[in-house]
Amino acid sequence: MKEIKDLIIKENVKMSEYTSYKTGGEVLYYVYPKTIEALQELMSYIFKNNIKYFVIGNGTNIIFTDEFYDGIVINLSKLEEIKIENTIIEVSSGYSLQKLVSEASKLGLTGLEFAAGIPGTIGGATYMNAGAYGSCIFEKIKYVKYLENGEIIKKAKEEVPYGNRYSYFKDNKKAIILSITIELSHEDKNIILDKIKEYTQKRIQTQPLEYPNAGSVFKNPETISAGALIDTKLNLKGKNVGGAYVSEKHANFIINKNNATSNDIIKLIEEIKRVAKQKENIVLQLEQEIIK
Ligand SMILES: Cc1cc2nc3c(=O)[nH]c(=O)nc-3n(C[C@H](O)[C@H](O)[C@H](O)COP(=O)(O)OP(=O)(O)OC[C@H]3O[C@@H](n4cnc5c(N)ncnc54)[C@H](O)[C@@H]3O)c2cc1C
């Protein structure tokens, strides 16, 4: 591995320490660029040498397989600049979405309350257009800045394809999100805090937050929510493979209850999909991502 200025390099890291499922095998290199220049130099080295790589945010929406990963995982959490001008915020991809929700509330800026309790980074949230309670991050975005083929590109939201839990970046894995610019609006701080409290309470009541998990496993099919399908139609609450269980609290969550491996989680996903197809003729689509 080439030495690059402002690049922190760790070797033979266990991905179970960097994923919210607490599963995943070892990876050869785990690196943190501290500047965009370091990231640019790293990417040019990676492409020149045809090295396998993966950009990680907070690891809260992924299943990293148990096999050894002979490549580089790039963690952007050191890119965490934030610039606030009145209602406009430019925030780097490594910044925590939770921290942003909290900063905005302190400033009396409304628009991000829906994201209270989504435990990812700005990069991860933009990549999958994270959302809840009828809102999503792209609704607030004005511009996205990203690195593609060595070039820094800034595009208005209208020029970037996005949709339900989808963005351009899902189909263009070579593009790395650097920052987003969002626009919020002024509101009474107490009203904002009340909303955040309400959403947080809802999550505590309905989601199995006491166990390692990675949020919703499947996208909602057209006719029924994935949770209701798995619970009432497929009767799979509590079903397990090894240490991975379908949560009793929310059937669209898989929890790592007892030292699960990624393989357990993947096998349980396959089983749920199989039963959904067999019993209801529904093809479930994965919301989480399996990284090999
Ligand atoms: C308890 C819990 C509740 C959740 N609730 C919700 C919810 O309500 N709504 C929701 O949408 N999600 C939810 N999630 C899922 C997850 O938190 C979000 O999808 C989050 O936005 C993922 O961000 P991350 O930084 O953890 O991404 P990661 O899991 O690290 O990565 C996800 C994908 O984003 C890509 N990526 C990350 N950063 C970049 C970047 N800078 N450039 C390009 N690609 C990048 C990765 O390569 C990967 O493909 C929940 C998860 C948990 C554990």
Side-chain angles (χ1 to χ4, degrees):
M1 169 94 204
K2 183 188 174 195
E3 289 239 345
I4 293 174
K5 186 172 173 274
D6 290 327
L7 184 76
I8 302 169
I9 304 172
K10 289 186 181 180
E11 271 181 61
N12 297 319
V13 161
K14 283 192 187 117
M15 285 310 294
S16 53
E17 289 169 19
Y18 293 93
T19 55
S20 60
Y21 265 133
K22 305 283 173 228
T23 63
E26 266 193 19
V27 32
L28 183 55
Y29 294 113
Y30 194 92
V31 305
Y32 299 83
K34 290 200 275 185
T35 60
I36 290 175
E37 292 71 28
L39 176 65
Q40 277 176 304
E41 197 177 335
L42 173 68
M43 294 320 294
S44 117
Y45 167 73
I46 282 175
F47 289 131
K48 208 182 273 169
N49 294 285
N50 208 11
I51 296 168
K52 190 171 162 180
Y53 74 97
F54 176 71
V55 176
I56 194 168
N58 204 23
T60 65
N61 206 37
I62 54 172
I63 306 158
F64 218 95
T65 52
D66 302 315
E67 285 70 46
F68 182 70
Y69 186 87
D70 189 16
I72 305 176
V73 173
I74 307 166
N75 181 311
L76 298 182
S77 63
K78 306 280 179 222
L79 301 182
E80 49 166 2
E81 249 183 84
I82 180 161
K83 281 183 233 154
I84 305 173
E85 260 177 55
N86 197 13
T87 55
I88 305 285
I89 303 179
E90 182 177 2
V91 58
S92 299
S93 57
Y95 202 88
S96 145
L97 183 58
Q98 280 319 285
K99 208 162 131 192
L100 183 63
V101 171
S102 156
E103 285 301 310
S105 72
K106 281 185 209 155
L107 294 166
L109 293 174
T110 184
L112 288 178
E113 296 86 324
F114 75 89
I118 303 182
T121 59
I122 293 299
T126 306
Y127 172 90
M128 67 105 60
N129 190 14
Y133 307 113
S135 298
C136 61
I137 194 78
F138 261 86
E139 272 175 22
K140 306 297 158 202
I141 289 179
K142 284 179 78 71
Y143 301 101
V144 184
K145 211 186 265 181
Y146 57 95
L147 180 67
E148 194 169 4
N149 299 323
E151 235 186 293
I152 295 174
I153 300 162
K154 182 175 177 179
K155 280 202 173 161
K157 177 198 26 205
E158 294 71 25
E159 300 172 272
V160 183
Y162 65 93
N164 180 29
R165 300 293 168 275
Y166 169 80
S167 80
Y168 166 80
F169 302 99
K170 278 197 158 178
D171 290 332
N172 291 275
K173 290 296 283 182
K174 280 189 175 169
I176 300 177
I177 301 152
L178 299 176
S179 69
I180 57 172
T181 304
I182 57 169
E183 182 165 24
L184 303 176
S185 40
H186 293 291
E187 180 56 283
D188 183 322
K189 281 182 202 172
N190 289 320
I191 295 179
I192 299 173
L193 288 174
D194 281 352
K195 247 193 200 172
I196 290 178
K197 225 186 199 171
E198 182 196 326
Y199 288 152
T200 308
Q201 274 308 109
K202 249 191 207 168
R203 282 181 187 271
I204 293 169
Q205 277 162 13
T206 58
Q207 299 181 354
L209 305 180
E210 57 279 25
Y211 292 105
N213 71 79
S216 298
V217 178
F218 299 104
K219 292 183 179 176
N220 287 326
E222 275 179 13
T223 48
I224 184 169
S225 79
L229 171 77
I230 297 164
D231 178 8
T232 58
K233 304 269 185 203
L234 311 183
N235 242 329
L236 288 176
K237 264 191 174 174
K239 166 89 189 156
N240 80 303
V241 173
Y245 286 71
V246 174
S247 163
E248 297 276 1
K249 203 167 176 183
H250 191 317
N252 197 23
F253 276 62
I254 288 179
I255 53 174
N256 177 354
K257 202 167 167 182
N258 192 10
N259 296 317
T261 60
S262 291
N263 206 24
D264 293 341
I265 297 168
I266 293 165
K267 280 193 177 147
L268 186 54
I269 287 171
E270 281 164 4
E271 177 60 9
I272 300 166
K273 279 173 112 171
R274 187 188 68 76
V275 180
K277 179 78 182 90
Q278 188 193 49
K279 277 198 176 171
E280 297 294 323
N281 199 25
I282 290 178
V283 178
L284 280 170
Q285 305 281 344
L286 203 56
E287 184 163 310
Q288 301 174 352
E289 212 177 301
I290 298 170
I291 315 298
K292 292 179 189 161

